[in-house]
């Protein structure tokens, strides 16, 4: 493959700019995960049964709006071919909408009561999630529009990981301090939402100004103009790499949510020291930073797919060995914390690097179908991840009942203890193995196929230049 010209190389500005996207998005999204239940119950005083129904509807909406928004972006671009790009115009449109609807969500419902408040809350959440998807889909799809090869994709994936990590930490520093000062009040959440939305908006704008689309054709072809909403169905038939990614998304997210949902039971009921659990988060952050720093170099040396396969196998082995060790002899809380954190961090390489593989699946799809549908593919991959999240969360709660967990008991039965160990250690290892199998037996982009894709893209660029 020919050497890239200086103009075609990714710059540090591109990488920092791409990191700003997830950083800005997570400034609002992080509070939707960590603090929103407290807002529902302590400030709005929503009944838990009513809340459960609303959460179900919201989760369904969150799942379907990703592929719909992605397909809409592909469809509009195939018709209009905006000279400013396929995704960047959407970033500029959606960034202020995300900030505004986020503030509205945390403020407007507090001015109402009863059924009126529930109706207002319901639609405020729908509006925010729709606007967030309008930003998140083009932000994620930008990777395929910026990167040409494994090295660039690994670099941008690591940049996104750094941005995500910082964007998740800042709101969880700001909001607890406000709650400590003002208590669980509408004022505390109102101030926090304005501060986080304002900071997030600035970072989202930096993402817009410091990135550029380099892999989107300026000249529409007959095929690209024929983008349809039903194209995503055909993608599953002809695009094995995308199918592998969807299997991986379901498996890895199920693993994550089973672990996070049941982690407290392992530390409290099995290890007898729930306080140690807080140190696990402290340990995970430096491990993640180290991984994000070395992954681009390892990817350059090994290749992106081999790196992911090795990391998944190692992580699976560590989980299985930890389960065997727990069954044979007592494992202290500290040993468990270090061992499980290492296993999770090594397996997390596939999560940080998966965004580069989405770009590769998009290239492959264009190669086999003639259509470049980044939005539809990225949106549907997000749908697969949300399915995994829902399965992991729901199944983990149901499994507690299956193994006989009784919250009224000071000490759980021996069978329940074994069940918790299996759910927290063995089950994650098995789902990680499922993710590895997807990349080992379903993924079919070999170095030879990569060269064919590269030749196809080069011919396309030459044709556009004439």
């Amino acid at each position: 493959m020919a050497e890239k010209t200086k103009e075609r190389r990714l710059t540090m500005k591109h990488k920092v700019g791409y990191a700003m996207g997830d950083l800005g998005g997570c400034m609002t999204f992080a509070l939707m995960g960590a603090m929103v239940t407290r807002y529902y119950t302590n400030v709005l005083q929503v009944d838990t049964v009513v809340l459960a129904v609303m959460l179900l509807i919201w989760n369904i909406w969150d799942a379907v709006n990703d592929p719909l928004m992605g397909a809409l972006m592909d469809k509009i671009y195939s018709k209009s071919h905006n000279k400013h790009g396929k995704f960047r115009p959407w970033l500029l449109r959606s960034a202020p909408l995300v900030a505004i609807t986020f503030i509205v969500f945390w403020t407007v419902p507090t001015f109402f009561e009863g059924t009126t408040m529930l109706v207002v809350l319901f639609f405020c959440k729908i509006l925010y999630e729709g606007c967030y998807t309008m930003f998140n889909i083009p932000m994620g799809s930008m990777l395929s529009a910026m990167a040409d090869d494994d090295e660039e994709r690994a670099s941008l994936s690591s940049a996104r990981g750094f941005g995500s990590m910082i964007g998740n930490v800042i709101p969880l520093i700001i909001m607890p301090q406000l709650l400590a000062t003002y208590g669980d009040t509408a004022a505390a959440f109102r101030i926090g939402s304005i501060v986080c939305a304002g900071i997030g908006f600035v970072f989202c704008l930096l993402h817009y100004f410091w990135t550029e689309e380099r892999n989107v054709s300026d000249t529409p072809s007959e095929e690209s103009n024929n983008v349809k909403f039903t194209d995503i169905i055909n993608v599953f038939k002809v695009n094995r790499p995308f199918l592998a990614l969807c299997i991986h998304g379901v498996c890895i997210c199920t693993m994550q949510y089973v672990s996070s949902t049941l982690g407290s039971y392992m530390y409290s009921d099995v290890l007898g020291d729930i306080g140690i659990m807080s140190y696990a988060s402290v340990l995970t952050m430096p491990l993640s930073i180290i991984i994000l720093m070395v992954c681009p170099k390892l990817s350059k040396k090994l290749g992106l797919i081999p790196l992911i396969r090795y990391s998944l196998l190692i992580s699976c082995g560590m989980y299985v060995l930890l389960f065997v060790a727990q069954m044979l002899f007592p494992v202290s809380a500290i040993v468990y914390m270090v061992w499980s954190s290492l296993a999770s961090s090594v397996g997390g390489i596939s999560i940080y690097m998966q965004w580069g593989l989405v770009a590769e699946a998009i290239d492959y799809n264009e190669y086999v179908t003639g259509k470049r549908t980044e939005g539809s593919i990225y949106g549907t991959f997000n749908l697969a991840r949300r399915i995994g999240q829902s399965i992991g969360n729901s199944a983990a709660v149901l499994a507690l009942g299956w193994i006989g967990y009784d919250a009224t008991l000071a000490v759980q039965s021996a069978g329940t203890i074994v069940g918790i160990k299996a759910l927290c250690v063995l089950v994650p290892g098995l789902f990680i193995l499922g993710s590895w199998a997807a990349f080992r037996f379903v993924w079919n982009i070999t170095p030879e196929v990569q060269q064919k894709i590269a030749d196809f893209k080069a011919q396309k660029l030459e044709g556009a230049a004439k």
Side-chain angles (χ1 to χ4, degrees), residues 45-64:
Q45 297 184 341
V46 180
D47 180 79
T48 54
V49 176
V50 174
L51 180 58
V53 175
M54 294 175 74
L55 286 171
L56 176 62
I57 299 173
W58 284 334
N59 285 333
I60 294 173
W61 164 244
D62 291 346
V64 302

Side-chain angles (χ1 to χ4, degrees), residues 136-153:
N136 183 258
I137 296 299
M139 183 276 295
S141 302
M142 277 290 291
L143 189 147
S144 66
M146 294 175 67
D148 286 323
D149 53 38
D150 279 358
E151 183 179 353
E152 289 187 342
R153 288 163 181 162

